[in-house]
Amino acid sequence: MGVGDIWRIICDSFLRDLETWRHIVEWFMPSWFTVCMGSGILATCIARLPYETPALRVFGLCIFFFNTALLCAFLGLQLAQLLVYPRILAFMRQHPRRMLHYGAIPMSLATVVSGACAFWPSGQLGEFVLVVWALWWVSVVLAAAASLLLLCLIVSRQTHSIEGVTGAWLLLVAPLA
């Protein structure tokens, strides 16, 4: 069995499961960005520990790069969903709890920025500091938009009771912290 045969098997398997990938894009929820928040915070905490060993630094860097890859994958899925299934955004505006998780997007981006600053001090970043600075500004703009616009949408277009208020409401204001 050659490389071409293996490649053909992989491509045939992927094309056969294409419907599965469409379902993944269609049913992707912004709550998955909370996974990036948690792993990014863990990587930053490991970088900020008062003692440093080479193994701990490698472990923290692995978590940081895993978090960055997850964020890129989730952003790609979210953008694909908005482009391929724009009707889902209209549904999300009407759902009282699912709209709250859009606040996790700027928070997960902020964990990538803080991880980059924690693992590489500003003197070691070189030109990459401009990329980190731009990502920070994108995070700030998304946080302001998520906090203000989503709060206005939720208050003006949905009805709420005190029993329906959960800790997920903090996802709207936490990006500004």
Side-chain angles (χ1 to χ4, degrees):
M1 182 181 285
V3 175
D5 295 329
I6 294 172
W7 183 252
R8 189 173 17 259
I9 291 170
I10 291 172
C11 288
D12 289 344
S13 173
F14 176 74
L15 293 175
R16 184 177 50 236
D17 293 337
L18 188 60
E19 187 64 26
T20 305
W21 285 103
R22 291 184 65 120
H23 284 276
I24 289 173
V25 170
E26 184 178 10
W27 291 100
F28 179 78
M29 294 294 161
S31 59
W32 279 100
F33 284 98
T34 58
V35 174
C36 292
M37 290 168 37
S39 60
I41 290 167
L42 178 64
T44 304
C45 287
I46 289 173
R48 298 288 185 199
L49 284 174
Y51 46 90
E52 185 177 334
T53 63
L56 198 57
R57 181 167 175 80
V58 168
F59 180 65
L61 281 170
C62 287
I63 293 175
F64 171 75
F65 287 123
F66 175 72
N67 178 44
T68 305
L70 268 181
L71 179 64
C72 292
F74 291 163
L75 284 173
L77 281 170
Q78 188 67 54
L79 289 174
Q81 183 187 57
L82 293 176
L83 293 174
V84 177
Y85 301 105
R87 61 178 164 69
I88 291 177
L89 189 59
F91 168 73
M92 294 287 270
R93 279 191 303 219
Q94 302 303 321
H95 199 279
R97 288 183 192 89
R98 294 209 176 145
M99 196 71 166
L100 300 172
H101 288 92
Y102 279 107
I105 297 173
M107 289 173 57
S108 60
L109 184 59
T111 63
V112 170
V113 171
S114 66
C117 292
F119 281 107
W120 296 280
S122 60
Q124 296 175 355
L125 280 175
E127 296 298 318
F128 187 63
V129 73
L130 297 175
V131 174
V132 173
W133 187 55
L135 285 176
W136 181 78
W137 275 109
V138 169
S139 176
V140 167
V141 170
L142 286 175
S147 297
L148 300 174
L149 294 176
L150 292 178
L151 186 62
C152 289
L153 279 173
I154 288 170
V155 170
S156 66
R157 297 189 182 186
Q158 298 173 358
T159 58
H160 298 281
S161 63
I162 195 68
E163 294 85 18
V165 175
T166 65
W169 277 75
L170 293 175
L171 288 173
L172 291 178
V173 294
L176 293 176

